[in-house]
Amino acid sequence: GAVVSQHPSWVICKSGTSVKIECRSLDFQATTMFWYRQFPKQSLMLMATSNEGSKATYEQGVEKDKFLINHASLTLSTLTVTSAHPEDSSFYICSARAGGGAADTQYFGPGTRLTVL
Amino acid sequence: DAKTTQPPSMDCAEGRAANLPCNHSTISGNEYVYWYRQIHSQGPQYIIHGLKNNETNEMASLIITEDRKSSTLILPHATLRDTAVYYCIVRFNFGNEKLTFGTGTRLTIIP
């Protein structure tokens, strides 16, 4: 099956610093990747859709200047949380779109747990 | 996207078949039914998807009613490792169509 990795798996940072999270599709190319956020005891919420070589599309209410997304290659997308604050502490999960037509499916990474002190 | 309705929780005895229902009465003709599960503190895992025919893979079977207004995910021989939150999602199968996660069903496998 399609494998998606994320790095780091967890990170602790001080308030005001920036954190970069990487999402890689290991055995397939992904023109589209997605970034989700999940708070404790809640479901996944889509933050943005990332297309290779173009600007990301952000969901309503997600600050594009705070959550910078770069999808520079067909196997790598990055999410940078700029000037992180404690309320940004969450579980960040990426997915990558694979297949096409009837086989079109999203495969998810293992997630990155961000704690901002 | 059409919305889905799932029971908030279910229990199943280890070794038995787990049948997870999902209602999607407003599904449109081109929307697929996807199932994912999320084990605690992990990313969601793809299980199976289908349009109108029943589907089976190494993990599960998906039974979609003829009118497509509901479906059932079947885990044939549940193990303790199947304890997770299961999400039923309907989605158009093209372009950048996103997955919209609801609250899912928390399945607990009982020894």
Side-chain angles (χ1 to χ4, degrees):
Chain A
V3 180
V4 177
S5 70
Q6 280 184 244
H7 179 79
S9 55
W10 59 270
V11 57
I12 301 172
C13 69
K14 294 182 179 180
S15 186
T17 61
S18 294
V19 174
K20 179 184 284 189
I21 302 170
E22 292 185 349
C23 176
R24 294 181 185 272
S25 56
L26 298 185
D27 52 0
F28 66 101
Q29 293 182 329
T31 56
T32 307
M33 292 184 173
F34 302 83
W35 286 95
Y36 295 79
R37 180 168 54 181
Q38 186 175 34
F39 292 107
K41 298 188 183 300
Q42 295 185 21
S43 191
L44 281 78
M45 293 297 294
L46 179 67
M47 299 175 66
T49 301
S50 168
N51 291 301
E52 187 265 337
S54 64
K55 292 183 178 180
T57 303
Y58 291 81
E59 294 297 299
Q60 190 172 10
V62 178
E63 299 176 60
K64 62 180 181 180
D65 294 330
K66 181 171 183 61
F67 299 99
L68 301 179
I69 292 172
N70 187 324
H71 192 161
S73 79
L74 290 173
T75 58
L76 173 65
S77 177
T78 60
L79 168 68
T80 301
V81 183
T82 62
S83 187
H85 291 286
E87 57 266 30
D88 298 322
S89 298
S90 188
F91 191 47
Y92 291 86
I93 312 166
C94 72
S95 71
R97 180 173 162 238
D104 195 298
T105 305
Q106 285 185 37
Y107 295 93
F108 286 80
T112 297
R113 187 161 302 283
L114 170 63
T115 302
V116 185
L117 302 176
Chain B
D1 289 350
K3 293 185 178 180
T4 62
T5 304
Q6 300 178 253
S9 65
M10 293 180 62
D11 293 338
C12 178
E14 186 179 17
R16 304 296 292 269
N19 296 279
L20 292 91
C22 180
N23 286 321
H24 32 78
S25 59
T26 60
I27 192 171
S28 66
N30 295 326
E31 287 184 304
Y32 284 67
V33 180
Y34 285 79
W35 283 85
Y36 285 81
R37 71 181 182 185
Q38 186 176 27
I39 297 169
H40 183 61
S41 295
Q42 297 181 26
Q45 179 186 22
Y46 166 77
I47 301 173
I48 199 168
H49 76 280
L51 181 62
K52 55 184 178 181
N53 297 322
N54 297 337
E55 302 286 346
T56 296
N57 62 20
E58 65 278 5
M59 290 183 66
S61 295
L62 173 60
I63 308 299
I64 303 174
T65 58
E66 191 169 345
D67 63 6
R68 301 209 325 123
K69 293 184 177 181
S70 66
S71 60
T72 302
L73 178 74
I74 301 172
L75 307 178
H77 305 287
T79 70
L80 297 178
R81 287 180 292 183
D82 292 323
T83 292
V85 178
Y86 287 75
Y87 296 98
C88 168
I89 303 168
V90 293
R91 168 185 178 263
F92 288 107
N93 208 22
F94 58 82
N96 293 339
E97 287 298 313
K98 58 188 178 183
L99 293 169
T100 302
F101 284 80
T103 54
T105 296
R106 181 172 299 278
L107 175 67
T108 303
I109 306 302
I110 300 171

